[in-house]
Amino acid sequence: AAEYCSQGQQRLLVACLKLAEARLKQKILNDEPLLLVDDVLLELDLKRFNNLLRETLGANQKIFTVTDTRRFDPDLLAKMNLINLGK
């Protein structure tokens, strides 16, 4: 991937592999993993970013740390509990 993919494509690939790993662990261990997603995914284009978020909806335990929620699809954002730690 390092030779053929852009930096954004590499990040998307890593995120997809991590989601697949979480699902596999859940299936094998019958234990729901905690998903921690940080601002780095905000560099993805809107379509890929929101598609990736949709893939996390099935997870019971997930935490997103972001500085700006304007890129989130409003329908996805409505399904989230927001905690603002800002000023």
Side-chain angles (χ1 to χ4, degrees), residues 15-61:
C16 290
L17 289 172
K18 289 291 185 183
L19 281 174
E21 178 184 21
R23 286 183 180 170
L24 188 59
K25 284 183 177 180
Q26 178 185 7
K27 187 174 183 175
I28 292 172
L29 301 175
N30 199 26
D31 188 21
E32 185 88 27
L34 172 62
L35 299 178
L36 300 171
V37 183
D38 68 8
D39 254 351
V40 73
L41 295 180
L42 290 177
E43 295 177 14
L44 298 174
D45 64 72
L46 284 176
K47 180 181 176 185
R48 286 179 177 84
F49 172 73
N50 283 295
N51 284 342
L52 189 62
L53 288 181
R54 280 185 192 85
E55 289 299 316
T56 67
L57 289 179
N60 289 330
Q61 301 181 84

